[in-house]
Amino acid sequence: MDFKLSDDARAMQEMTHKMVNDLLKHEAHFHETNEVPDVVDATLRKAGYYGLAIPEEFGGTNVDKVTLALISLELARMPPQFWPLVRPSMGPIPHALLRHGTAKQKEQWLPQIAAGTKAGSFALTEPDAGSDVAAMKTTAVRKGDKWVLNGSKMLISNANKAGVILVFARTDKSKGRDGVSCFLVEPQNPGFGISKPIPTMGWMNDGVFGLTFENCEVPAENLLGEENRGFYYALEGLNEGRINVACQALGSSQIAFEHALQYSKDRLTFGEPLSSHQAVQHMLADMAMDQHAARLLLLDAASGLQNGDDVRLKCSYAKVFCTEAASRVADKALQIFGGAGYIRGMIVERVYRDLRVTRIFEGANEIQRNMIAKQLLNG
C-alpha cells in the first residue's frame, strides 16, 4: 500500500516520537500522585497539537488524515491521561463543525479548540440508548428563538472541561433515527446539569459524567446543520472517532511491545536471556505481526477518509482489529514481564488496564461486526 507520506509527515512523526519519549519521564510521577504534571499539556499546547485537525484560517495546521493517524499513534504511547483534550480536538467535534457548522459557529469555536483554550465533548450515549440511537429519549422542542432540551446522557468523557458539547436529541418522535438533531450546548445554558465524576477502571483521569437537561434552553442558532439530520452527523463523526480509537489502542500497545521486547533481552532466567526461550520468541513474533497488520489496516482506512471515499466498512475493520490486536499484544507483554508486569505503575500494567475500554466505546466491537456483516450481505 502506498500512503504517500510526505517529508513533512515523516518529520512531524519523528518530532512527535521524540517529544513523547521526553514526556514519558513524567509517567512515574503520574502513577505516584495521580496528577499529570503541567509541563505535559504546556508542551502539547505550545507545539500546536490541539490544532492538527483544524484549518489554518481558524488557527490550526490541518494535517492530512494519514499524518494525523501517524501522530496519534505516537501520542498514544503516553498514558491517555496525558492528552485527554487533544484527542477530541482531532475527532468528531471539529469535523462536525467544519462540515455542518455556520460561519458564526466555526468562528466561535474552532479557534478556541485549536488553541486548546476550549474543549469539546460528544454526548450521544444514554442510559437506554448506546449503540441503538433509535432508542434515544432526550428530546428538543423549538420554542420561539430557543430549543428546549429534556433528557439525560451518560458515560460522557471530558464533559467537566468542555466549553461546547455536541448533544444529540430527538426533534421528531415519528421518524425514528431520522428525527434526531444535533445541538451545540454550553455548560452555562439554563437547565444544563452535570454529575459528579464517575470513576473508571482506567483511561480517564477524571472519570466520566452524566448530563441532565431539564428544560435546558439552547439558542436556536446553536442547532448544528439541518434539523433531523443529527443521526447522520453522528455516523460521520463516528468514522473519525473509530480511526481515533484504533490509533489510541495501537499506539498504546506499541510501547508495551517495545518494553516487553527490551525486557526479554535484559531479564535472565536459568542463566540465559528470557528471549532465548522459544515460547517467548513466539509471543514476540505474534505481537510484531499483530502490530504490523493492524497498522496497515488503520492507515488504509485513514487514507480512504482523506480521499473522501466511503470508509464505513474500513473504519469498522480498523476499530475492531486494532483494538483487539492491541489487547492481544498488551496481554502477551504483561505475560513476558510476569509478576513484575502486574504491579501498579508499570507501563505494561497501565496499557493492559487502559486498553480494555477501546473495545467498547465509539461503537462496541460486537456492533461493528454487525455493521460489517450487514454491508457484506447487502453487497
Side-chain angles (χ1 to χ4, degrees), residues 100-102 105 147 171 178 180-183 223-233:
H100 305 294
T102 63
Q105 289 169 347
W147 286 92
T171 43
D178 290 329
V180 173
S181 299
C182 181
F183 300 88
L223 172 71
L224 182 68
E226 298 178 36
E227 186 177 341
N228 296 329
R229 295 292 296 171
F231 171 76
Y232 301 98
Y233 300 163

Side-chain angles (χ1 to χ4, degrees), residues 13 16 20 52 63-80 83 86-88 90-91 203 238-256 291 294-303 305 314-327 350-351 354-355 358-359 361-362:
Q13 182 187 14
T16 305
V20 166
L52 292 173
V63 303
D64 64 78
K65 303 298 184 184
V66 173
T67 304
L68 190 64
L70 292 170
I71 293 169
S72 296
L73 285 168
E74 298 296 340
L75 291 173
R77 294 169 64 246
M78 297 189 292
W83 56 300
V86 175
R87 289 194 304 274
M90 297 178 172
W203 196 268
L238 289 174
N239 280 333
E240 298 264 355
R242 283 161 189 158
I243 288 180
N244 195 321
V245 170
C247 290
Q248 293 166 45
L250 200 58
S252 294
S253 63
Q254 177 62 36
I255 194 164
Q291 287 291 119
R295 186 182 181 89
L296 290 176
L297 200 58
L298 169 61
L299 293 178
D300 186 40
S303 179
L305 192 65
K314 288 185 176 181
C315 288
S316 290
Y317 287 165
K319 199 274 182 179
V320 172
F321 192 85
C322 289
T323 57
E324 294 184 0
S327 295
R350 68 94 166 154
V351 169
D354 283 330
L355 270 176
T358 64
R359 284 144 56 194
F361 62 15
E362 298 294 351

